[in-house]
Amino acid sequence: KIKKSVFTTLLPTTPTPYRTLLISTPIFSIQEKASKMAVIRAAAVAAIAINAFGNHGKSSAFVPTSLIASRTNHVGPQTRLAVASVESVESSADVAEAPHLKLATKLPPPPFKKIMAANRAEISVRIQRATTELNMGSVAIYVDEDRYGQHRWGADESYLLEKAAGATPISAYLDIPQIIKVAQESGVDAIHPGYGFLSESPQFAQACADAGITFVGPTVENLNTFSDKTSARNAAIAAGVPVVPGSDALKSEDEVNAFVDEIGLPVIIKAAMGGGGKGMRVVRERKDLIPFFESASSEALAAFGDGSVFVERFVEKPRHIEVQIIGDGEGNVIHLWERDCSIQRRHQKVIEMAPAWSLSDELRSDLHKYAVQLTSAAKYKNAGTVEFLVDQENRPYFIEVNPRIQVEHTVTEEVTGIDIVQTQIRIAGGATFEEIGLDQSKIEPRGVAIQCRVTTENPERDFAPDTGTISLYRHSAGAGIRMDGVGYTGLTITPYFDSMIVKYIAKGSTFAETVARMKRVLIECRIRGVKTNIPFLLNVLTHPEFESGIVTTGFIDENPQLKKVSESTWDFANDEQSDQRKVGANERLLRYLANLAVNGHPAELGADPTKIIRGSKIDTRKILVPPPREEAPSGGMRKILLEKGPEGYAKAVREHEGLLLMDTTWRDAHQSLLATRMRTKELERCAEYTNAALANAFSLEMWGGATFDVAMRFLHECPWERLESLREKVPDIPFQMLLRGANAVGYTNYPDNVVHKFCKQAQASGIDIFRVFDSLNYLENLQLGVDAAGEAGGFVEGTMSYTGNVADPTKGKYNLEYYVKLADELVAMGVHSLAIKDMAGLLTPPA
């Protein structure tokens, strides 16, 4: 016991924000040999607790540990990080006297050197982040359709997976030999499979073991038991866990018919391997049994590489509750409490929460007991989820074990403060529960967390996936909000993969507070360009039944109005947020007006340009007076080119004593600053001034590159007519175009005869100079462009793309010798001039 006077000086020196943070640390254990300073600090923690929460009528500064613990349940998982920052300044002597501080002041050594995330999108990024925080290298794999995905460029290293001709992109992520080969060649010593794909494959885990690579997940034996749902049922029965009546794996129509004859309808068909709602069908009428069996088997085969299914009695209107467990492989298992995943669509979870706060204590205890009982008997290793259905009489039934990380692991992390992915990695690396700091008696949920899965689906079309390019992507944030996602402005949503682009996780001290926070998040975020399920999620969150906290898996089916999002309204103070028709209305109006200004009224909607009446008869005012023709140069530099040809023009340029300019305003600058959106008529208005001002310029680059593509696709103009019209109004300046070698003005290789014909037509329509370019200085591509432009009668400018530093001979292959050789090769091709294209601004004065 220490007098209050001791704290008169201690408390004021404790920064106010840390007074409540400090009390969430383990209370100092006072030993007989503890130093005086350790005792003072221990008592200070108690005093700060009194200061923060009141002393409950006690006059002394001592508060029992149990009382402090009972008053700190609301402190969030971020607390430990804040505490670590405070405690890290403690002296080494004091740390030695308080062993628990060692965990707070020093991270464990990395369990591996390099980890591969054998997955894609959000979960791959989640694994990479956990890997980086543990100070290990991260490796990603991707298919060509994912080449712009965040998981590719977010990793330390990323490797392209090949797929067979005609195969689906998903098949590459299921290609075990190829993934193992990439892992070996890149020096990976552990593979985290994420969820889906190969995460529950015993064959993949065995292949990792055979290659000397650690599989971050359960053992092969665990996977053989639990990845197959039928063997998992048998294990549950053996462990005394109640199960729904069901079959073993069924592979034929006769087996399915015989089993249903025995137990009757309704039944649910499930994929024996995998999860996520794939390969599931509810059968209520006998005529649907075999068609549903065939479609479920086919879907399971495509998603998991195994078409086996089994059949269970269908439990009507259950709640879906799952228990997160972690095992050490020796029979020791802890649980991280439970999650309520009852909001589902087609057996795919949509909204999850932790804990399942509306369960009775007795039922919750039974679920925890069953989960630990089953997985302990199997000597389960690593993270997993034991899933149950709870019927209308509150009777629980085991349905499956997901032997992997779950999409919804985030809500458990938020309420327990335990990083499940890092825990997976550390257990795979050989760490014990004690070394990680996992103690069942100290794991208590704090507050409530809810996760919403945002997908690119159209609820009004029965959640049909939408595709396209995201034109605007702006995240929500703020207190108690976590975002796990891979979306960004410009991302192209393809039809090949799961439609989820972001998970929002909200946390609050109560369920009502968390729901209010999540509603704010969803109305605040902006995703434009593709349809999303955000209005549908808001409909769910604002439904009275959901707000009660007790819903069943039939909730969405029983409330089809939730999917009618076009006219949804919500109870927000702001009118523009309360009505779906008003959300983003201003943005849509501006986009419409901008499109109308550039492209005009769309003909496909019946617009007839001949019937459009101008609002004003006054055209755009011409501020400058057109230059008199007699003052304008007669012929300019182009006259030399027309009279003496490309060789003569090259000679005249070499003999010219002053500086000659090549102006890019009508192409490159226009493209960079205005996205190539200026129409021909705008350029025509300044054409005469340009002709007078730049008549003595070397050239005016005004065509080719992106201008050709944009004129057709966005401005809906003929690029050939654009060229010919401007040629007529600018007769004295040589017109120059950018020719991408064998790509011409496109983004792929074209047949040689197409490139030759294109150049011939371009020269006839008014192009004088062809600037031939290849970003990689690939000579074969350049050669085709040079030949085509030369045969068309054009002046050919060979372009060298510059990188590196020629002033420093130690800077790799792109040295002075490289560029001199490249210049010689271009001259040998027959170019008339050379250009250096310094796209990255690397060409310094010394270089």
Side-chain angles (χ1 to χ4, degrees):
K1 294 197 174 183
I2 302 176
K3 294 180 180 180
K4 280 188 176 180
S5 59
V6 173
F7 309 110
T8 305
T9 55
L10 281 177
L11 282 174
T13 62
T14 305
T16 301
Y18 295 145
R19 293 189 184 185
T20 54
L21 294 177
L22 281 168
I23 63 172
S24 72
T25 64
I27 302 303
F28 284 44
S29 178
I30 308 302
Q31 308 295 332
E32 290 183 6
K33 297 181 181 180
S35 70
K36 180 180 179 181
M37 203 59 211
V39 176
I40 290 176
R41 285 201 184 90
V45 170
I48 292 166
I50 294 171
N51 184 62
F53 299 101
N55 65 7
H56 298 271
K58 294 181 180 291
S59 58
S60 70
F62 178 78
V63 178
T65 298
S66 59
L67 175 59
I68 294 176
S70 69
R71 297 304 302 276
T72 59
N73 283 343
H74 73 283
V75 180
Q78 300 90 340
T79 297
R80 295 192 181 276
L81 294 175
V83 172
S85 69
V86 176
E87 294 174 342
S88 63
V89 301
E90 304 286 350
S91 70
S92 58
D94 292 322
V95 171
E97 294 176 5
H100 68 277
L101 287 183
K102 294 179 182 178
L103 296 177
T105 58
K106 187 177 181 181
L107 289 172
F112 303 102
K113 292 181 180 179
K114 192 185 293 186
I115 291 184
M116 171 189 283
N119 215 293
R120 64 174 298 276
E122 172 269 327
I123 189 59
S124 179
V125 173
R126 173 72 182 89
I127 295 165
Q128 292 166 25
R129 288 170 173 163
T131 299
T132 300
E133 290 171 11
L134 290 174
N135 199 26
M136 298 177 291
S138 59
V139 174
I141 53 176
Y142 67 98
V143 293
D144 187 62
E145 290 80 1
D146 266 338
R147 61 190 180 278
Y148 299 122
Q150 183 180 339
H151 80 275
R152 177 197 175 182
W153 44 260
D156 297 328
E157 305 170 30
S158 56
Y159 296 93
L160 176 66
L161 295 177
E162 303 293 340
K163 61 180 185 293
T168 64
I170 288 177
S171 66
Y173 289 111
L174 299 172
D175 189 339
I176 294 175
Q178 184 178 188
I179 293 173
I180 294 296
K181 182 174 183 288
V182 170
Q184 290 175 317
E185 292 177 351
S186 58
V188 162
D189 49 358
I191 293 179
H192 194 307
Y195 52 70
F197 294 136
L198 295 169
S199 60
E200 299 184 26
S201 168
Q203 294 79 14
F204 186 42
Q206 186 62 58
C208 289
D210 294 342
I213 298 171
T214 300
F215 181 78
V216 181
T219 64
V220 174
E221 292 74 21
N222 292 155
L223 290 172
N224 279 324
T225 300
F226 294 119
S227 63
D228 183 331
K229 303 300 184 284
T230 54
S231 63
R233 281 175 47 82
N234 295 333
I237 294 170
V241 177
V243 300
V244 179
S247 71
D248 292 328
L250 305 176
K251 296 187 177 181
S252 70
E253 296 180 14
D254 291 341
E255 290 176 329
V256 173
N257 277 316
F259 184 77
V260 173
D261 286 341
E262 181 182 338
I263 69 168
L265 294 173
V267 297
I268 183 168
I269 301 172
K270 294 183 179 180
M273 311 292 286
K278 293 181 173 60
M280 280 191 183
R281 302 289 188 277
V282 175
V283 183
R284 298 182 183 277
E285 298 183 25
R286 192 64 184 242
K287 65 182 179 61
D288 295 327
L289 180 60
I290 299 306
F292 282 10
F293 163 72
E294 292 172 345
S295 63
S297 180
S298 175
E299 186 175 33
L301 179 63
F304 313 117
D306 188 325
S308 301
V309 299
F310 67 102
V311 179
E312 284 183 342
R313 183 190 301 279
F314 182 64
V315 180
E316 293 281 2
K317 297 182 180 180
R319 296 179 69 181
H320 186 126
I321 310 296
E322 61 187 33
V323 179
Q324 177 71 59
I325 60 95
I326 297 176
D328 66 358
E330 302 294 330
N332 302 308
V333 175
I334 63 163
H335 67 77
L336 304 186
W337 291 63
E338 74 290 334
R339 299 185 285 258
D340 189 335
C341 305
S342 301
I343 302 293
Q344 300 181 7
R345 176 187 58 78
R346 299 177 191 153
H347 313 291
Q348 177 85 35
K349 299 162 189 171
V350 178
I351 297 176
E352 303 98 344
M353 71 181 77
W357 60 275
S358 58
L359 294 180
S360 68
D361 290 342
E362 181 181 0
L363 176 57
R364 174 181 291 108
S365 178
D366 285 345
L367 294 175
H368 294 174
K369 179 185 69 175
Y370 290 144
V372 172
Q373 194 171 301
L374 170 58
T375 50
S376 293
K379 292 188 176 181
Y380 190 89
K381 185 176 182 180
N382 218 280
T385 306
V386 185
E387 304 200 357
F388 299 89
L389 295 180
V390 178
D391 67 14
Q392 298 291 302
E393 285 75 42
N394 279 336
R395 294 174 301 192
Y397 297 100
F398 166 83
I399 50 174
E400 64 183 359
V401 172
N402 278 313
R404 54 174 168 83
I405 194 74
Q406 293 271 78
V407 179
E408 62 274 16
H409 72 277
T410 55
V411 287
T412 297
E413 291 183 330
E414 291 302 303
V415 296
T416 63
I418 295 171
D419 188 313
I420 298 175
V421 178
Q422 287 192 18
T423 299
Q424 284 187 289
I425 294 170
R426 294 187 63 191
I427 286 178
T432 65
F433 282 175
E434 183 179 4
E435 290 169 335
I436 298 173
L438 294 177
D439 182 338
Q440 188 70 76
S441 65
K442 295 179 181 178
I443 300 173
E444 294 281 342
R446 296 172 176 174
V448 177
I450 294 176
Q451 173 178 280
C452 283
R453 306 185 188 193
V454 178
T455 62
T456 55
E457 297 174 323
N458 187 347
E460 293 186 328
R461 295 183 59 194
D462 198 25
F463 296 93
D466 196 16
T467 58
T469 300
I470 296 178
S471 58
L472 174 66
Y473 192 86
R474 190 171 72 227
H475 277 306
S476 298
I481 298 302
R482 168 176 170 179
M483 184 281 298
D484 283 22
V486 291
Y488 59 86
T489 299
L491 174 66
T492 298
I493 304 298
T494 68
Y496 307 116
F497 306 108
D498 185 90
S499 59
M500 186 178 74
I501 55 173
V502 63
K503 304 183 303 191
Y504 279 115
I505 303 94
K507 187 194 172 192
S509 57
T510 65
F511 175 67
E513 179 182 305
T514 307
V515 172
R517 188 162 281 164
M518 181 61 82
K519 288 191 289 187
R520 188 268 300 170
V521 165
L522 294 176
I523 203 66
E524 185 179 275
C525 75
R526 292 288 183 271
I527 302 176
R528 301 284 185 261
V530 290
K531 295 283 188 182
T532 73
N533 67 335
I534 289 177
F536 165 76
L537 295 172
L538 283 167
N539 286 349
V540 173
L541 293 173
T542 54
H543 193 281
E545 189 174 339
F546 178 84
E547 290 177 332
S548 74
I550 303 176
V551 293
T552 70
T553 56
F555 172 72
I556 293 176
D557 291 336
E558 293 164 6
N559 294 279
Q561 74 277 9
L562 296 172
K563 296 185 282 188
K564 298 178 180 179
V565 299
S566 296
E567 299 181 1
S568 295
T569 58
W570 309 289
D571 185 18
F572 291 113
N574 187 321
D575 281 345
E576 292 187 359
Q577 295 177 339
S578 302
D579 190 329
Q580 175 62 17
R581 290 166 294 188
K582 296 180 180 179
V583 173
N586 292 339
E587 294 175 25
R588 290 194 294 272
L589 178 59
L590 287 172
R591 283 199 301 272
Y592 170 75
L593 293 175
N595 181 67
L596 204 63
V598 172
N599 299 321
H601 293 274
E604 59 268 24
L605 297 183
D608 183 353
T610 64
K611 296 180 180 179
I612 296 175
I613 301 174
R614 296 179 64 87
S616 172
K617 295 181 180 180
I618 303 174
D619 205 343
T620 305
R621 289 169 56 196
K622 296 182 179 180
I623 300 173
L624 299 177
V625 178
R629 287 302 303 168
E630 59 271 16
E631 294 180 9
S634 177
M637 290 291 287
R638 186 168 184 253
K639 182 178 181 181
I640 302 173
L641 178 57
L642 294 177
E643 292 178 352
K644 299 185 178 181
E647 289 78 10
Y649 192 58
K651 184 174 184 296
V653 170
R654 288 195 295 272
E655 293 174 351
H656 186 81
E657 295 184 356
L659 179 69
L660 288 172
L661 298 178
M662 183 267 287
D663 187 273
T664 68
T665 305
W666 286 8
R667 199 203 70 77
D668 205 38
H670 171 208
Q671 176 180 326
S672 300
L673 301 178
L674 300 174
T676 322
R677 292 303 197 266
M678 288 188 70
R679 295 167 293 184
T680 300
K681 68 179 183 180
E682 273 95 23
L683 294 177
E684 287 177 341
R685 289 174 183 169
C686 66
E688 293 179 70
Y689 310 107
T690 301
N691 187 62
L694 298 177
N696 291 322
F698 169 76
S699 66
L700 174 62
E701 185 166 303
M702 48 72 65
W703 205 67
T707 59
F708 193 96
D709 177 61
V710 172
M712 286 197 305
R713 294 201 299 135
F714 293 98
L715 303 182
H716 303 297
E717 296 184 347
C718 173
W720 298 103
E721 292 177 2
R722 180 189 187 106
L723 170 60
E724 291 162 0
S725 172
L726 294 173
R727 175 77 285 171
E728 180 180 348
K729 293 184 178 297
V730 184
D732 300 328
I733 312 172
F735 273 2
Q736 177 173 304
M737 74 163 289
L738 172 67
L739 184 74
R740 299 186 179 114
N743 293 356
V745 289
Y747 301 94
T748 187
N749 283 359
Y750 294 102
D752 292 6
N753 62 331
V754 172
V755 179
H756 280 264
K757 180 65 176 177
F758 179 89
C759 290
K760 185 176 181 181
Q761 181 60 54
Q763 200 277 338
S765 294
I767 291 297
D768 302 299
I769 299 173
F770 293 82
R771 181 159 67 89
V772 183
F773 155 76
D774 182 86
S775 62
L776 300 178
N777 294 329
Y778 183 45
L779 290 173
E780 290 187 22
N781 267 2
L782 290 167
Q783 181 75 65
L784 176 58
V786 169
D787 291 345
E791 289 177 16
F795 182 101
V796 184
E797 183 167 275
T799 305
M800 299 183 287
S801 295
Y802 179 81
T803 189
N805 182 4
V806 298
D808 184 351
T810 66
K811 294 293 185 181
K813 66 176 285 189
Y814 299 104
N815 51 29
L816 186 59
E817 181 183 356
Y818 169 86
Y819 287 106
V820 170
K821 180 182 178 185
L822 177 60
D824 288 337
E825 290 170 327
L826 287 170
V827 171
M829 288 182 188
V831 302
H832 301 103
S833 66
L834 292 170
I836 300 173
K837 186 172 176 64
D838 179 25
M839 292 182 290
L842 299 175
L843 190 54
T844 61

